[in-house]
Amino acid sequence: MPRRERVRQATVEEIKAVARAQMAAEGTAAVTLRAIAREMGMTAPALYRYFGSRDDLVTALVTDAYNALADAMEAAVEAVPPGRHGDRVRAAFGAFRAWGLGQPTEFALIFGSPIPGYVAPEATRPAGLRYTDLLGRLLADAHADGALDPARIDLRVPPALARQVEAFQRRRGGPALPAPVLAFGLGAWARVHGLVTLEVFGHLAPAVGDGTALFEQELEVIVRQSGLPD
Amino acid sequence: MPRRERVRQATVEEIKAVARAQMAAEGTAAVTLRAIAREMGMTAPALYRYFGSRDDLVTALVTDAYNALADAMEAAVEAVPPGRHGDRVRAAFGAFRAWGLGQPTEFALIFGSPIPGYVAPEATRPAGLRYTDLLGRLLADAHADGALDPARIDLRVPPALARQVEAFQRRRGGPALPAPVLAFGLGAWARVHGLVTLEVFGHLAPAVGDGTALFEQELEVIVRQSGLPD
DNA sequence: CACTGTTGTTAATGCTGTTTACTCTACCGT
DNA sequence: ACGGTAGAGTAAACAGCATTAACAACAGTG
């Protein structure tokens, strides 16, 4: 990479880093071009050399956040031996929660309605699918190994839901899972998502304060219901 | 109520109504004092006679949204005979989802990170507890009637979680429930919350499009797991 | 009928994103 | 080695934002 390109890339990274810092320190409202430029010893219009608009910058932050979340989850999963499906699921969801609690503003950027007037453009879609794809792979691996207990999972799935779920699988390709298995996976995802968003956004605090115990409980329920051994 | 007070109250309501309309039409970004005043044929500073600041107006909107949500859920629950605990739970959660899908921007105001720089003040707390209190009452009623199946609910609750849950009950008063029952209720709440927020914020659409079938499935899982007959 | 508090106005301040016109400088091809 | 050029930065300006201050008009009450 030519020097020119390299220093430019470094500036782009610095802008995003400063934006993230300001966001973490003062909330999403503090992400103003002028404040970022001031921190960097520049003027606001200079930032337009690097991002077409403030929304473009936010979009980059959203994409980065999705990727950081997926990276954290993938690293956690890969630290567990491939065969131990239960522990891999625990690791994935645990990393999801840990990342959310560790970077609440970035978590909010993704899963809250981030910034007024800003709607996530299509460009964030691929990054946003990474962590759900990971969860899907976990489910598919466990199913391929026969580790899922069909007797427990086989909730009677109504035909309408089965059709939707099968259409989804055709769209996304990859290994085909039975509708009840995929429906179970979607349910597990929603459960964890609900618990973690409630906790990160402070809605859970009035009830249990620290949500760790409740989260681990929910994790055990999921693992036990799936019939995964470990 | 004297006439003076009455017209003032009407103006307050009009301001909030216009704000809600703009929010629904153009997103939370459109909630600007100038735009509201313009729509009402006034100037922006006049609004300060009714709300101390823009944040105060947003706080009022948040409180109203919480109350509307609780009203909708209470109405749905009361339409079901007191004894049919399963159907009452279905009605409550169904109303929760319907309200969220019906007023997505107000839903986001409550459950997303609403507006940059805005953090919900303590004043919204009482209204925010109404719908969770309703869910708690539903659980307590079912338990008092002996409608919950202890054999299915009695997931082994670790001591740490049991302690937290019991402390929560002491703080809030009301009937004391066994820790496993309350933990089950919190889990059910989180599941529904997760599914509905995913759906309302558009994260579920790529997977299943219409989330109705998945939601009803999840509802059945909850009701069946609780052992409620109907 | 005069007084007073309420409701509204205009003008001004200091933010914000964004565009335009301009300067400077580092690199690239000859 | 040197002129041309693309890139990076600046200052100035515009429109819109929340908010405050000073001021005008009106309604209700003594």
Side-chain angles (χ1 to χ4, degrees), chain A residues 205-216:
Chain A
V208 294
D210 180 9
T212 307
L214 186 58
F215 176 76
E216 284 172 359

Side-chain angles (χ1 to χ4, degrees), chain A residues 65-89:
Chain A
Y66 268 126
N67 280 321
L69 170 62
D71 287 346
M73 290 175 67
E74 279 172 6
V77 166
E78 262 147 46
V80 178
R84 317 189 44 163
H85 299 294
D87 283 343
R88 280 165 85 88
V89 167

Side-chain angles (χ1 to χ4, degrees), chain B residues 23-179:
Chain B
M23 202 169 66
E26 315 275 343
T28 51
V31 183
T32 74
L33 296 183
R34 288 172 128 93
I36 295 169
R38 204 178 310 128
E39 178 77 22
M40 294 177 65
M42 303 196 339
T43 60
L47 298 179
Y48 283 80
R49 299 286 171 195
Y50 302 92
F51 294 94
S53 70
R54 195 190 101 115
D55 275 14
D56 286 5
L57 169 57
V58 173
T59 297
L61 293 176
V62 168
T63 303
D64 281 7
Y66 268 126
N67 280 321
L69 170 62
D71 287 345
M73 289 174 68
E74 279 173 7
V77 165
E78 262 147 45
V80 178
R84 317 190 43 164
H85 299 293
D87 282 344
R88 279 165 87 88
V89 167
R90 274 187 267 257
F93 283 141
F96 179 83
R97 173 171 179 260
W99 190 85
L101 291 175
Q103 359 275 324
T105 52
E106 293 182 59
F107 186 86
L109 202 60
I110 300 179
F111 294 113
S113 46
I115 279 185
Y118 175 84
V119 281
E122 205 61 17
T124 64
R125 179 69 65 85
L129 288 177
R130 273 189 60 201
Y131 87 97
T132 51
D133 279 354
L134 168 64
L135 294 175
R137 273 199 309 279
L138 249 47
L139 189 68
D141 289 350
H143 178 256
D145 272 14
L148 297 170
D149 183 348
R152 302 199 217 186
I153 274 207
D154 193 18
L155 14 93
R156 312 171 242 342
V157 171
L161 181 54
R163 254 192 320 261
Q164 285 184 332
V165 152
E166 278 151 17
F168 170 52
Q169 295 203 84
R170 276 195 300 278
R171 265 199 316 280
R172 287 215 52 73
L177 296 170

Side-chain angles (χ1 to χ4, degrees), chain A residues 113 164 171 191 206 210 225, chain B residues 113 164 171 191 206 210 225:
Chain A
S113 45
Q164 284 183 332
R171 267 200 314 279
R191 282 182 228 181
D210 180 9
Q225 249 176 37
Chain B
S113 46
Q164 285 184 332
R171 265 199 316 280
R191 281 182 228 181
D210 180 10
Q225 249 177 35

Side-chain angles (χ1 to χ4, degrees), chain A residues 26-147:
Chain A
E26 314 276 343
T28 50
V31 182
T32 75
L33 295 184
R34 289 175 135 95
I36 295 168
R38 203 179 310 128
E39 177 78 21
M40 295 178 66
M42 302 194 341
T43 60
L47 299 179
Y48 283 80
R49 298 283 170 194
Y50 302 91
F51 294 95
S53 71
R54 195 189 104 113
D55 274 14
D56 286 4
L57 169 58
V58 173
T59 297
L61 293 177
V62 169
T63 303
D64 282 7
Y66 268 126
N67 280 321
L69 170 62
D71 287 346
M73 290 175 67
E74 279 172 6
V77 166
E78 262 147 46
V80 178
R84 317 189 44 163
H85 299 294
D87 283 343
R88 280 165 85 88
V89 167
R90 273 186 268 255
F93 284 141
F96 179 83
R97 172 169 179 263
W99 190 86
L101 290 175
Q103 359 276 325
T105 51
E106 293 181 59
F107 185 85
L109 203 59
I110 300 179
F111 294 112
S113 45
I115 280 186
Y118 174 84
V119 280
E122 204 62 18
T124 64
R125 178 70 64 86
L129 289 177
R130 273 188 60 200
Y131 88 98
T132 51
D133 278 354
L134 167 65
L135 294 176
R137 274 199 309 278
L138 250 47
L139 190 68
D141 289 350
H143 178 256
D145 271 15

